[in-house]
Each structure stands twice: as structure tokens, then as C-alpha cells.
Amino acid sequence: MNETRKVFIKTYGCQMNVYDSERMADTLAPQGWVEAGSAEEADLVILNTCHIREKASEKVYSELGRMRVLKAEKAERGEKLLVGVAGCVAQAEGREIARRAPVVDMVFGPQSYHHLPGLIARTGNGARVVETEFPIEDKFDHLAPPSREKTIARGLTAFLTVQEGCDKFCTFCVVPYTRGTETSRPVDRILAEARRLAEAGVREVTLLGQNVNGFHGEGPDGDSWRLGRLCRALAEIPGLDRIRYTTSHPRDMSDDLIAAHRDLPQLMPWLHLPVQSGSDRILAAMNRRHTADDYLRLIDRIRAARPDIAMSGDFIVGFPGETEDDFRATLAIVEAVGYASAFSFKYSARPGTPAAGEAEQIAEAVKIERLARLQEVIDAGTRAFNLSRLDMEMDVLLEKPGRRPGQLAGRSPWLQAVHLDAPMELLGTIARVRIDAVATNSLSATLIETPSSRPANPSLRAGAAT
Ligand code: SAH
Ligand code: SF4
Ligand code: F3S
């Protein structure tokens, strides 16, 4: 039996990092590692980092400054602290991190997570370890799947990576360099993982991939399956009542996926489909390989298949060469689509990407001004969307106790937070409610129908009994 040691994993960036952090914890568990609540309590701290924008990247170095202090304090008490840097900054900067931050014992990229127990062993004699190769073997074959016990503790919703990496090479983006080339997991592995999740009480799964709708995993029949077919198979798993996926590229929004939205009630009416800009000139410079009009026509087709679908997106302002007219085209596409919500970012020049070398970089003050104008339009759209839910009847997955006793909180099909008065026994069920008030960040509702009883997440049942 291994001695018990404590690991604290701090996660930055996207949902895939959240998923990866869980898999790292699951992979370490059989070696006697339990999860610590904070870095102070831990014997090993792993920073799972994000490289997408400069600000995200810089967070790592300030956190490593804190780790240096913590490691010194622990050393004074005769305790050891191992520090690892994982994720996309590790992949992109590798040895540079080890050089700049002597506190770091291990640097390892997203394709090395299954090697983690071995990497830790190699630090035993004080060696520093850097591993950022893209190994030939598939890490998913070696990473621990979600354990039943931990899945129960994590609750009713779960992430499931089905695809990783990206071959699109948008000219602003680091992801093809940090996550590598586009690969899809085999269908039988994904279905097995989804069944495990459902058996542990998960009701909603979000399929993850940098370019998730480009999924082309090998099916049990030897065919290459697209995402729509995968969703159809997932929808047959008892208990998995809600399926979402993120993030999609407009070019890969295939007919089979649109048809799945038409046919599968489990596929939630919510689509994150980033367009980045409304200007054809900028879209071409970004290498997005579609026009604003292609995008609008695509959304028309999606809405024809699933009329209640709500759109979400990502936008970049201040891409090199963006004029006021280009920016106005972005405002116009936001108005034309009517997003339920959207993320917007100031362009951040990333080392090694083509756009970073463009001469016509936009001044920071212009980026700040455009971002504020864009966010105003996006926020107005979100408010209008939320208001349009007033008096509507909808299904809400009741995920956790609410702020007040006697209240539960959950999510609408459109990812809105919903609060309502409801008994604890309904935790883990999908309830039919009517929306009776709309606030900035949440909706309040009244229960109109007690849900048909379903086996809820066992940990929630235990909580409900007390
Ligand atoms: N397809 C990916 C996208 C990751 S990046 C996914 O699975 O999430 C998320 C968003 O960050 C992008 O859609 C883009 O809007 C923004 N982004 C990426 N690179 C950026 C950069 N260099 N500067 C500013 N925003 C950027
Ligand atoms: Fe980056 Fe997404 Fe473009 Fe791929 S499709 S390069 S992940 S923005
Ligand atoms: Fe960031 Fe890497 Fe995700 S750069 S957004 S953590 S894929």
C-alpha cells in the first residue's frame, strides 16, 4: 500500500483543462494521492495552465512566485513540496519555464498526463523533469477513466473529451501548437466512459474538443463516425438526459449534426459557434475560411431544424488591420444573429502565430474602446434573451441547494441559472417549472410539475436524507 500524499491541482483556461485535471487526479489516486483543498496542504501542486492570451499565460509566473514562497516555508518546517506545470503554457514554453522558475520540478504538456506517476518518480533524487513531446501512444488508453466515487462527488454534470487538437490554424491562435493535430477518440471508449458517468448519477454530459464538431472517431463498425452519429448513440444511454458539446467551428457544422439537433430531445438547444468577426476581410485574414454570409445562412439552417436553439459565440476585437468599418460589421453580425450570450476578447498577439507578425497591430486604446462597444451590444442581447424566457415553461436540472433553505438551483436548457422553492428530494431530477422573474444573472421559477422520479446522484440522495 502506498503512503497517502496530497495533490492540489489548480486549473486555468478552458473546460478541457478541467477535464484533464480530473483525469490527472484519477490517474494519481491508485498511487495513494488524495486531493488537497489548497496548495498549503499539498505535497504536490500542479498548475494546469492556459496559453490562449498573454494575460492567461502570465498568471502562471505570478502563481509560481507564490509557490516559491510556499516551498521555502515548507522547507523550513522540514516538509517537501513538488511543483509541476502542466497544460498549454507547459507545452508552448517547456524549458523556458524551468529556466525562469527554479521552483518548478516538472514541466509536462497535455499529451504526457498518463506519464505523471513516472514523472513524479523521476523527481525523487531532486532531478527536474521536462516532457513536452507528442508521444506516439494515445494518452487516453493510459489515463484513468473517471472513478465512480469521484464522479459521484463531482455532481450531476460532467465533461467528456471526445476530440483533441486542431488543424484549422486560425492565424491568431496557439491551440494547434499546444494541443497538436486533430485526433478523435474511438467511439466505444467514449460510450463506455459515458455509461460509467451515467451509472454514477451524471445526468448531463458536455462533449469536449477544440474542434468538437470535426469529430471523426472510429466506430465499432469500423466506419468513421461524425458527431451527430455519436450523439445519437449517447442519447440511448439510460439516465443521460442532456447532451451538450463545445467548441464547434462553422466549417464543420455538418448536415448530420444539424439533423441530430432536429431529432434528439437530449441534445440541448444551445450552440456555441464562434464566428470571431463579422468582416469578410478579417475572416479571411484570420484563416476562418468562411464569410459572414455563410455563417448567417448556416444559422438559418440550424434554426430551421431546431427552432428553439440559442446561439453563443466568441469574438475578437482589434485583430491586426481591423478598421472601424470591419468592427461595425462585427456589431452588425451580433445584431443579426441575436446571441443568447457571447464571449469577447481583445486580440492578443501570441508568439509563433502568423497574425502576431502583422505590421498593422491595433492600438490598445482602440481595442479597449471596441471591446466596450461590443460588450454593450452582446449584453443587451443576453438581457433580451433572458427576458424572453419570462412566463415560459421549461425543464430545469436541479443541481444543488439554492442560496436560501428550501431553495434549489439548477440550469435551464439554455444554461441559465434558475432558482426555485423545491424540496430537497428533487435534487438531481429534471423539474418542469415556470419562469416568474428574470434578474441579470439568473431566473427564478415556480415548480409546476413534480418530476417523474429517477434515480438521483447517490451523493445527493445521501445529502437529501440528512
Ligand atoms: N476552438 C477552441 C477555441 C479556444 S480559444 C475551443 O475549443 O475552445 C477560445 C476563444 O479565444 C476563441 O474562440 C477566440 O475568440 C479567443 N482567442 C483565441 N486566440 C486569441 C488571441 N490570440 N487573442 C484574443 N482572443 C483569442
Ligand atoms: Fe484555434 Fe479554434 Fe481556430 Fe482551432 S478553430 S485554430 S482552436 S480558434
Ligand atoms: Fe487555453 Fe489550452 Fe484551452 S491554450 S483555452 S487551455 S486548449
Side-chain angles (χ1 to χ4, degrees):
M1 187 64 201
N2 289 302
E3 58 177 318
T4 299
R5 295 168 292 178
K6 288 189 171 178
V7 55
F8 179 69
I9 308 181
K10 185 158 181 177
T11 309
Y12 303 84
C14 64
Q15 289 120 322
M16 193 174 285
N17 268 6
V18 175
Y19 177 86
D20 287 345
S21 292
E22 290 177 354
R23 290 297 74 68
M24 283 192 254
D26 293 340
T27 299
L28 287 173
Q31 321 277 319
W33 290 95
V34 296
E35 286 178 75
S38 69
E40 285 70 21
E41 296 163 28
D43 305 294
L44 165 64
V45 173
I46 298 173
L47 306 181
N48 193 6
T49 62
C50 174
H51 195 56
I52 201 81
R53 284 168 291 273
E54 195 178 350
K55 263 214 183 105
S57 253
E58 278 171 352
K59 285 189 192 152
V60 184
Y61 290 100
S62 52
E63 190 61 25
L64 285 175
R66 279 193 282 279
M67 290 305 114
R68 187 166 49 84
V69 175
L70 185 62
K71 197 171 192 164
E73 285 170 1
K74 282 190 179 255
E76 272 177 32
R77 294 198 297 268
E79 297 168 14
K80 265 185 77 175
L81 176 68
L82 273 183
V83 177
V85 179
C88 291
V89 181
Q91 186 62 46
E93 297 187 1
R95 289 192 186 282
E96 171 71 10
I97 301 177
R99 194 185 60 74
R100 263 180 75 178
V103 66
V104 173
D105 302 286
M106 302 181 286
V107 182
F108 51 102
Q111 303 311 321
S112 301
Y113 295 158
H114 54 301
H115 294 161
L116 189 49
L119 297 176
I120 294 170
R122 277 162 56 194
T123 61
N125 53 4
R128 302 176 79 207
V129 180
V130 177
E131 188 175 292
T132 52
E133 288 87 54
F134 287 95
I136 314 283
E137 85 267 12
D138 183 353
K139 72 170 170 190
F140 291 109
D141 289 347
H142 304 276
L143 274 175
S147 75
R148 181 177 163 78
E149 188 194 25
K150 289 193 180 204
T151 303
I152 291 170
R154 285 170 191 148
L156 293 158
T157 60
F159 294 129
L160 201 177
T161 293
V162 302
Q163 178 278 336
E164 190 172 2
C166 185
D167 297 341
K168 291 279 186 292
F169 290 95
C170 300
T171 54
F172 51 80
C173 184
V174 293
V175 169
Y177 312 98
T178 63
R179 291 282 172 170
T181 177
E182 209 174 297
T183 50
S184 297
R185 293 178 68 190
V187 170
D188 53 0
R189 299 286 168 82
I190 296 166
L191 295 179
E193 190 166 324
R195 276 189 216 102
R196 285 175 81 109
L197 293 171
E199 280 158 15
V202 167
R203 306 287 306 264
E204 174 177 310
V205 69
T206 301
L207 311 178
L208 299 181
Q210 270 80 38
N211 190 11
V212 72
N213 62 344
F215 177 81
H216 54 269
E218 190 189 336
D221 51 3
D223 284 358
S224 167
W225 284 34
R226 304 300 313 270
L227 192 64
R229 192 163 174 200
L230 180 67
C231 288
R232 284 177 201 273
L234 286 164
E236 308 221 324
I237 296 177
L240 263 198
D241 294 306
R242 292 181 158 196
I243 301 169
R244 305 179 186 274
Y245 59 89
T246 197
T247 293
S248 297
H249 192 289
R251 289 270 300 196
D252 290 326
M253 206 63 216
S254 62
D255 289 343
D256 104 296
L257 186 53
I258 296 175
H261 276 286
R262 180 194 62 209
D263 299 338
L264 300 176
Q266 291 89 342
L267 207 43
M268 289 292 99
W270 173 269
L271 181 58
H272 185 64
L273 192 65
V275 67
Q276 315 296 354
S277 168
S279 153
D280 288 344
R281 211 174 62 79
I282 297 296
L283 285 170
M286 287 176 164
N287 191 31
R288 295 290 293 183
R289 294 183 293 142
H290 64 78
T291 63
D293 191 51
D294 294 335
Y295 181 78
L296 291 172
R297 279 188 289 124
L298 172 62
I299 290 180
D300 285 346
R301 281 170 47 225
I302 297 165
R303 283 184 167 148
R306 179 85 204 226
D308 65 342
I309 204 159
M311 299 302 303
S312 148
D314 292 338
F315 293 90
I316 295 177
V317 301
F319 183 83
E322 185 188 70
T323 62
E324 174 64 21
D325 278 353
D326 292 321
F327 174 66
R328 287 203 182 142
T330 297
L331 295 178
I333 205 166
V334 172
E335 299 273 11
V337 171
Y339 289 94
S341 90
F343 300 103
S344 47
F345 312 98
K346 287 182 290 177
Y347 170 72
S348 168
R350 307 306 292 127
T353 59
E358 289 291 323
E360 258 188 284
Q361 298 292 328
I362 303 297
E364 181 66 15
V366 175
K367 289 185 196 171
I368 291 172
E369 187 252 356
R370 286 182 186 165
L371 187 68
R373 283 160 69 200
L374 176 58
Q375 285 181 344
E376 208 170 293
V377 178
I378 290 172
D379 289 349
T382 302
R383 275 195 303 277
F385 179 75
N386 287 344
L387 268 176
S388 72
R389 307 293 102 164
L390 196 60
D391 295 327
M392 191 183 267
E393 286 184 16
M394 63 174 73
D395 290 336
V396 172
L397 172 59
L398 299 172
E399 291 176 31
K400 54 183 184 199
R403 278 189 295 256
R404 287 189 286 103
Q407 246 195 359
L408 294 179
R411 294 258 164 208
S412 79
W414 303 280
L415 281 175
Q416 297 148 302
V418 182
H419 300 273
L420 66 152
D421 289 336
M424 262 311 224
E425 302 86 81
L426 294 190
L427 209 52
T429 61
I430 295 176
R432 192 78 185 157
V433 310
R434 181 176 297 109
I435 302 302
D436 41 38
V438 175
T440 316
N441 295 316
S442 68
L443 313 177
S444 358
T446 313
L447 197 61
I448 53 174
E449 209 178 281
T450 304
S452 58
S453 154
R454 279 266 204 167
N457 182 310
S459 75
L460 297 175
R461 268 208 307 260
T466 54

